[in-house]
Amino acid sequence: MLIGIGVSAGVGYGPVVRLTRSVPEPSEGEQHGGDIDTETRRAVSAMEETARDLTARGERAGGHAQEVLNAQALMARDPALTDDVRRRVGEGASATRAVFEAMDVYREMLVNAGDYLAARVADLDDVRDRVVARLLGVTVPGIPESSTPFVLVANDLAPADTALLDPELVLAFVTEEGGPTSHTAILARSLGLPAVVACPGCTEVREGTRLLVDGMTGEVVPDPAPALVEEVEAKAAARAAAAAESTGPGRTSDGHEVPLLANIGGPKELPAALENGAEGIGLYRTEFLFLDRPDVPDHEEQVAAYRAVLDAFPGGKVIVRTLDAGADKPLAFLPPPAPEPNPALGERGLRMMRRFPDTLASQLAALAEARRDTKADLRVMAPMVTDLDDAEWFAAASADAGIPDAGIMIEVPVAALRARHLAGAVGFFSIGTNDLTQYACAADREIGGLSRFQDSWQPGVLELVAAAATAAAEAGRPCGVCGEAAADPILGCVLVGLGITTLSMGATALPLVRAALARSTLAQCREAAEAALAARNAAEAKQAARNRLPGTAALEL
Ligand code: PEP
Ligand code: MG
C-alpha cells in the first residue's frame, strides 16, 4: 500500500493512466542517416500532425482553451520555424534535434521580446515536446485521452491541467508531489474528484494496474482484494450518510450561527455550491477565470462572470476576491517584472495589482456594474495584504470604484499579528489559512515533502488565527476563514471556538462541516480550541480537539 495525503474525500477505483510530462532532449550533435529528404519529411509532417492534433483538441474543448490551442497550432506551423528545421536537417541534424534546436532559437526570441510574448514560452515548450514525442514514438505529454474511466497518476499536475480534467472520466488522481493546500488539491475538491497528493512511489505503479484511492485517508492500494474495495467504499458511503443528516444553515447544536459559504473558481461551480447548501460565496477565486487568457478579459465578459454568481444567491453574501495572480497562478497579462527565484515570496495578489492598478480598476469597475440591480450582498477582498498601507490602498481603490464593502485576506503572518491596526481600515477579514500556513511555517505549498509543515493544525498557525479573530471581534468586524482549514470538520469546529464567524470551503466539504457543527456545542468548540492551542504539535492539537468534540466521531470513520 502507498500512503500520501488525502486532499479530496471520496473513493476512486480503476485502471491507472499516467500523465507524462517530460520528453527527453535529443542528444546534442545527433545526426540523421544521410537521407535528407526523408528526414525533412519526417520533421515537417510531425509538426503538421501536431498542429492538426492541437486544432482538433481545441475544437473539442471550445471556449478560451480553443484560443490557446489554436495559437499553439500556429506556432507548430510557423513558416520561419519550418524553414529553420529544414535548414538544420539539410546540414545533417536528425529531425528531433533539428526541431529541438529551431524551437530553442524561437524560444529565446520570445523570452527576449518581453512581457506578453515571454508568457507564451510554456506554450511553445509544450508544442516542442509534442513534436519531439511524435518523432520519438513516445506518448505525447499532457492529460492522456481515454474513452473509459481511469485513475490519473502524475508526478504533479499544474492547476491549468487540473481545471481541464473531466470528472466523468477521471475517477481519482494521485500525485507524487503537491502539498495539501496546493491549488491542484483545491481544484480537485471543487471538481469533487477523490485525490491524494504527496504520495511517494505512485509514479512507479504500472499503467493499467487497478488502483484503489481513498481521498480521505490518503491510502492508495495497487491491485486491491475485492473485499477491501467493498470495505473502503462502504465506509465512504457511511460517512456521506452521516453528513447528509444535517441540513439548513450552519449552526452548532446549541444554535450559534456559523454561515457556511462556498469557495468557487467560476460560475460552473455554482450547481455544486447550491446542491451542497452553501449560504453564499465566501471566496470567488477570480484568477481562475483568466488562467488561460492572453489578455485581460473585456468589461462585458467580466460583468457576466460576476453577475452569474450574484444571481445565484439573492439575499446571500458573495465575496469576490480580486485577482490573485502570480506564484503558481501566473497570468499571461500580468507578468512579474523580473524572474523570481521564490515566486510565492514575490509579486502576487495585491502586490501585483499595485503594479498594474489599471487591471484592478477594470476588475472593480466590472464588479461595480454587476453589483447594480443585484439582490446579493457583494463584497470584495484583496489577497496577499501585508500591512496597513496595503489595506488602506485597497479600501480606497474599492471606494473609488463605488464598492463600499471591502475586506482583506489575512494570509501574511504580519497581517495577523497587526490585525488590530488593519481592522480599522477595512470592513472584514477572511483568513487564507493555506497561505498563512505556508508563510508562517516557511513551507512552500507546492512541495510534497513538506506536508508536515503545511498543516493548519500547527498550534502556531492557530495562534495567528486567534489573533486575527480577536482583533476583528474587538473592532466589531466579521472574520471568516476561506482556506482549506475550514473544510476539515474538526478544525472547522476549532476555528469557530477561536472566534471565526463564517467558514468557506470547496462545496463538496460543506455537508461534513455542517454535520460536525451540528453535533457540537459552542462551548465544546471553545474547549477544543483551547486544547489545540495548548498542544505541542499539529498531531496532538488534532487529537486534543477530537477528544473534546465527541459528536464528530461518526464523521471520521
Ligand atoms: C488561502 O491562501 O488560504 C486562500 C484561500 O487563497 P488561495 O488558496 O487561493 O491562495
Ligand atoms: Mg491564498
Side-chain angles (χ1 to χ4, degrees):
M1 179 168 73
L2 306 171
I3 284 277
I5 298 175
V7 292
S8 179
V11 175
Y13 174 58
V16 167
V17 167
R18 286 165 48 170
L19 174 92
T20 35
R21 265 255 153 261
S22 56
V23 171
E25 177 182 336
S27 339
E28 210 178 326
E30 189 179 87
Q31 301 273 306
H32 58 74
D35 185 346
I36 294 181
D37 287 346
T38 310
E39 196 70 358
T40 306
R41 257 199 311 280
R42 229 164 66 75
V44 174
S45 58
M47 291 167 79
E48 177 52 31
E49 281 162 21
T50 301
R52 274 207 297 266
D53 175 53
L54 287 164
T55 312
R57 280 169 179 261
E59 275 161 17
R60 280 199 300 279
H64 306 312
Q66 184 167 16
E67 287 171 26
V68 175
L69 291 161
N70 283 347
Q72 284 188 295
L74 283 180
M75 289 175 173
R77 285 198 177 106
D78 187 291
L81 187 66
T82 317
D83 284 350
D84 195 14
V85 170
R86 287 179 195 279
R87 182 181 61 75
R88 287 169 196 275
V89 174
E91 288 167 4
S94 69
T96 37
R97 188 69 207 174
V99 166
F100 192 86
E101 286 176 4
M103 293 266 193
D104 215 34
V105 174
Y106 198 176
R107 190 178 197 281
E108 276 302 294
M109 244 165 53
L110 288 185
V111 171
N112 296 330
D115 300 0
Y116 168 68
L117 289 176
R120 307 271 56 84
V121 165
D123 295 351
L124 178 70
D125 287 348
D126 182 55
V127 174
R128 179 199 59 204
D129 288 351
R130 286 172 184 279
V131 179
V132 171
R134 224 166 249 280
L135 285 165
L136 293 174
V138 299
T139 315
V140 174
I143 304 292
E145 304 238 324
S146 168
S147 52
T148 51
F150 59 92
V151 171
L152 182 67
V153 172
N155 187 51
D156 202 358
L157 281 170
D161 286 333
T162 317
L164 285 178
L165 295 180
D166 177 356
E168 301 281 308
L169 278 178
V170 182
L171 299 163
F173 76 73
V174 187
T175 64
E176 189 117 6
E177 289 294 329
T181 56
S182 63
H183 286 100
T184 297
I186 291 166
L187 277 167
R189 268 191 289 270
S190 80
L191 293 167
L193 273 181
V196 173
V197 299
C199 181
C202 70
T203 47
E204 277 145 46
V205 177
R206 301 215 348 221
E207 187 113 355
T209 308
R210 297 192 80 76
L211 211 56
L212 176 65
V213 181
D214 187 338
M216 177 95 178
T217 60
E219 289 169 3
V220 175
V221 190
D223 289 324
L228 182 65
V229 178
E230 260 178 46
E231 184 193 317
V232 171
E233 286 180 343
K235 269 193 191 169
R239 220 157 38 215
E245 281 167 18
S246 309
T247 52
R251 63 182 61 193
T252 58
S253 61
D254 52 340
H256 174 72
E257 288 181 9
V258 185
L260 296 178
L261 312 171
N263 294 351
I264 60 167
K268 71 177 194 304
E269 291 172 51
L270 285 170
L274 293 166
E275 268 162 38
N276 287 290
E279 295 166 57
I281 297 297
L283 168 62
Y284 184 176
R285 288 185 166 97
T286 56
E287 62 282 358
F288 279 111
L289 294 171
F290 309 141
L291 272 184
D292 57 356
R293 302 295 299 269
D295 301 300
V296 186
D298 68 23
H299 181 75
E300 278 67 38
E301 194 184 339
Q302 289 202 44
V303 174
Y306 305 141
R307 194 166 273 155
V309 176
L310 293 170
D311 288 350
F313 289 96
K317 193 185 324 184
V318 173
I319 303 180
V320 179
R321 176 171 77 183
T322 54
L323 291 174
D324 184 17
D328 69 326
K329 294 177 290 191
L331 295 186
F333 52 89
L334 298 176
E340 297 182 331
N342 296 301
L345 300 180
E347 302 268 357
R348 90 168 262 217
L350 188 69
R351 299 172 181 182
M352 194 66 105
M353 291 295 101
R354 294 191 73 167
R355 266 188 184 277
F356 295 94
D358 291 351
T359 304
L360 179 66
S362 71
Q363 187 175 26
L364 290 171
L367 282 162
E369 178 159 344
R371 183 168 174 266
R372 263 174 239 136
D373 336 305
T374 179
K375 296 200 176 61
D377 170 13
L378 168 75
R379 299 171 187 205
V380 291
M381 71 177 174
M384 280 293 282
V385 169
T386 306
D387 57 12
L388 184 58
D389 189 49
D390 271 357
E392 287 176 344
W393 187 87
F394 181 71
S398 303
D400 284 351
I403 305 178
D405 300 312
I408 53 169
M409 292 190 73
I410 301 285
E411 307 190 278
V412 180
V414 292
L417 293 171
R418 300 281 289 178
R420 215 163 256 123
H421 297 257
L422 303 187
V426 292
F428 65 94
F429 290 160
S430 181
I431 306 182
T433 46
N434 307 330
D435 279 313
L436 186 63
T437 306
Q438 150 166 276
Y439 298 125
C441 300
D444 190 322
R445 290 165 74 167
E446 302 302 310
I447 299 179
L450 294 176
S451 52
R452 177 164 94 76
F453 302 111
Q454 291 147 347
D455 189 343
S456 302
W457 279 105
Q458 286 277 352
V461 174
L462 299 179
E463 298 255 15
L464 291 169
V465 170
T470 307
E474 280 170 10
R477 306 276 192 268
C479 180
V481 165
C482 63
E484 294 309 297
D488 171 334
I490 311 279
L491 188 45
C493 293
V494 165
L495 295 172
V496 169
L498 291 172
I500 292 302
T501 53
T502 55
L503 296 173
S504 190
M505 64 205 80
T508 53
L510 285 163
L512 266 187
V513 174
R514 183 181 295 113
L517 286 173
R519 289 158 176 256
S520 311
T521 62
L522 179 58
Q524 283 174 327
C525 293
R526 288 188 174 141
E527 280 165 29
E530 280 301 314
L533 283 172
R536 287 165 5 113
N537 58 34
E540 288 180 21
K542 181 161 192 170
Q543 193 51 50
R546 200 184 255 137
N547 294 344
R548 282 156 182 88
L549 297 163
T552 61
L555 306 170
E556 276 217 304
L557 291 172

